[in-house]
């Protein structure tokens, strides 16, 4: 069991945002309730996959016959959040993440665990050790409308990076670009 659980049951705000310029951005999942703010670093691919999986779960919930929960097909306009991140103080860099559905509260639940550092002395064998539990976890429960808005914003943030070269398919830097092709 993690020793520190950063739990947000009904957050005031939950967003993915970035710090830095395209090509050198750091992605953050930031959650806020009142004055409590937690920011964890994510990889761009983690951000994109989280948004994709949230939309998949919400779309699947919409097809469940007799589903008592109203799941919006698109982002409710009142939940759109295009504001910048609040001041970022990184709590940890996310490693393993999970996504679930809590039918008792009608919320999606995202859990993020710190990226584990590899011990160079580790022999790779699993040992019966109580120290295998992560030191902390971020657990965010968000209603379906908030989850839909979160996924939309995250896709937009991920897509706002460097433009892609139509010739070679590689990102174009602000200071120029030279096409590189794989050797045959």
């Amino acid at each position: 069991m993690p020793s520190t659980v950063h739990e947000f049951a009904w957050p005031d705000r939950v967003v993915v945002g970035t710090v830095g310029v395209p090509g050198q951005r750091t992605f953050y999942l930031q959650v806020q309730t009142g004055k409590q703010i937690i920011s964890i670093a994510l990889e761009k691919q983690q951000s994109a996959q989280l948004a994709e999986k949230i939309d998949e779960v919400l779309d699947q919930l919409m097809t469940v016959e007799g589903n008592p929960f109203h799941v919006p097909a698109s982002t409710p306009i009142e939940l759109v959040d295009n504001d910048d991140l609040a001041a970022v103080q990184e709590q940890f860099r996310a490693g393993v993440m999970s996504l679930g559905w809590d039918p008792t509260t009608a919320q999606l639940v995202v859990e993020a665990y710190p990226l584990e550092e590899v011990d160079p002395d580790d022999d790779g064998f699993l040992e019966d050790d109580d120290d295998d539990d992560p030191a902390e976890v971020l657990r965010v429960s968000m209603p379906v409308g908030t989850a839909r808005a979160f996924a939309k914003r995250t896709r937009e943030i991920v897509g706002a990076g460097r433009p892609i070269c139509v010739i070679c398919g590689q990102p174009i830097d602000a200071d120029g670009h030279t096409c590189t092709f794989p050797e045959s």
Side-chain angles (χ1 to χ4, degrees), residues 76-110:
I77 193 71
E78 66 275 10
L79 296 177
V80 171
D81 181 347
N82 292 322
D83 293 339
D84 292 336
L85 294 175
V88 173
Q89 201 169 9
E90 184 178 313
Q91 187 71 32
F92 60 83
R93 178 165 288 281
V96 174
M97 297 181 75
S98 68
L99 176 64
W101 169 249
D102 183 351
T104 61
T105 62
Q107 292 184 321
L108 282 174
V109 180
V110 176

Side-chain angles (χ1 to χ4, degrees), residues 139-162:
R139 183 176 299 127
V140 182
S141 300
M142 59 182 122
V144 292
T146 301
R148 193 66 89 180
F150 174 88
K152 178 182 186 300
R153 175 190 166 116
T154 301
R155 282 191 314 278
E156 290 170 356
I157 294 289
V158 167
R162 297 176 287 174

Side-chain angles (χ1 to χ4, degrees), residues 21 60 63 66-67 71 75 80 107 109 113 133 137 141-142 162:
V21 297
Q60 186 177 22
T63 65
N67 183 0
V71 179
T75 301
V80 171
Q107 292 184 321
V109 180
Y113 298 88
D133 287 337
V137 62
S141 300
M142 59 182 122
R162 297 176 287 174

Side-chain angles (χ1 to χ4, degrees), residues 112-180:
Y113 298 88
L115 183 64
E116 293 185 22
E117 294 184 19
V118 177
D119 182 355
D121 297 328
D122 189 359
D123 59 10
F125 291 98
L126 294 177
E127 297 173 13
D128 190 16
D129 191 358
D130 290 338
D131 294 339
D132 288 345
D133 287 337
E136 58 188 323
V137 62
L138 171 65
R139 183 176 299 127
V140 182
S141 300
M142 59 182 122
V144 292
T146 301
R148 193 66 89 180
F150 174 88
K152 178 182 186 300
R153 175 190 166 116
T154 301
R155 282 191 314 278
E156 290 170 356
I157 294 289
V158 167
R162 297 176 287 174
I164 301 298
C165 176
V166 295
I167 298 170
C168 70
Q170 296 299 313
I172 300 172
D173 291 322
D175 57 349
H177 173 73
T178 302
C179 291
T180 55

